[in-house]
Amino acid sequence: MTQRVELATVMDRLALDGLVTEYAVAVDDGDWEAYRGLFTANGRADYRSAGGIEGDAGRVADWLDRTLRLFPMRQHLIMNRRVRFDLLAHDVGDTARVRADYVNPMRFETGDGDPAEPDFVCGGRYAFAFLRTDEGWRLREVIVEEKWRRMPRHRGQEAGT
């Protein structure tokens, strides 16, 4: 590879990393306009493994808006990002995939405005698919593969009961 190609690859990796971070911040902050703006016009998201829905980014953003109101505190931690640029015969490097693990602590709303204790926590892996557009890299697809979750026990409930 030439230095120019290597520099372009580094810049693309940084852009993809930034987009994954923007995704997490949009979800955690409930910024559904920003969430929608991360996707291509036909971008899709699939949250079925976590008990959610699959569909176009706008529909999924509406569902997330309604569902995540139960959790006034959310904090995605996305790590172990593995970036792959697709180099198919018809592709000149304008598509990419990122697989990344996540841990997502969230705090339930009690109904009286105070956050509940303890937290609901889940973890798993994201599969992000990207497309380079005239506006820069955008998400074509997000698939959530939830692998585990820990639900809070009710007050007074002991372990194993």
Side-chain angles (χ1 to χ4, degrees), residues 36-50:
R36 287 177 184 91
L38 298 172
F39 287 83
T40 61
N42 61 348
R44 303 185 66 74
D46 184 347
Y47 291 82
R48 291 177 293 180
S49 76

Side-chain angles (χ1 to χ4, degrees), residues 31-97:
D31 187 345
W32 307 118
E33 184 177 335
Y35 178 92
R36 287 177 184 91
L38 298 172
F39 287 83
T40 61
N42 61 348
R44 303 185 66 74
D46 184 347
Y47 291 82
R48 291 177 293 180
S49 76
I53 67 168
E54 184 271 336
D56 67 75
R59 178 174 173 250
V60 172
D62 292 342
W63 174 80
L64 287 168
D65 182 29
R66 291 187 309 274
T67 303
L68 293 180
R69 289 180 189 171
L70 295 170
F71 305 99
M73 188 285 299
R74 303 181 290 270
Q75 185 179 31
H76 277 78
L77 306 170
I78 302 178
M79 58 260 162
N80 300 336
R81 299 173 192 195
R82 186 177 66 204
V83 177
R84 299 286 186 259
F85 293 97
D86 294 331
L87 298 173
L88 305 174
H90 63 279
D91 186 1
V92 293
D94 290 335
T95 62
R97 297 188 178 277

Side-chain angles (χ1 to χ4, degrees), residues 2-17:
T2 67
Q3 285 184 330
R4 181 170 291 162
V5 170
E6 289 173 355
L7 178 59
T9 301
V10 169
M11 297 301 293
D12 284 338
R13 289 178 72 92
L14 289 171
L16 296 173
D17 187 68

Side-chain angles (χ1 to χ4, degrees), residues 128-142:
F128 296 100
F130 299 91
L131 177 67
R132 187 191 318 265
T133 70
D134 291 339
E135 294 81 36
W137 287 99
R138 294 291 182 268
L139 287 164
R140 282 187 311 167
E141 182 178 62
V142 175

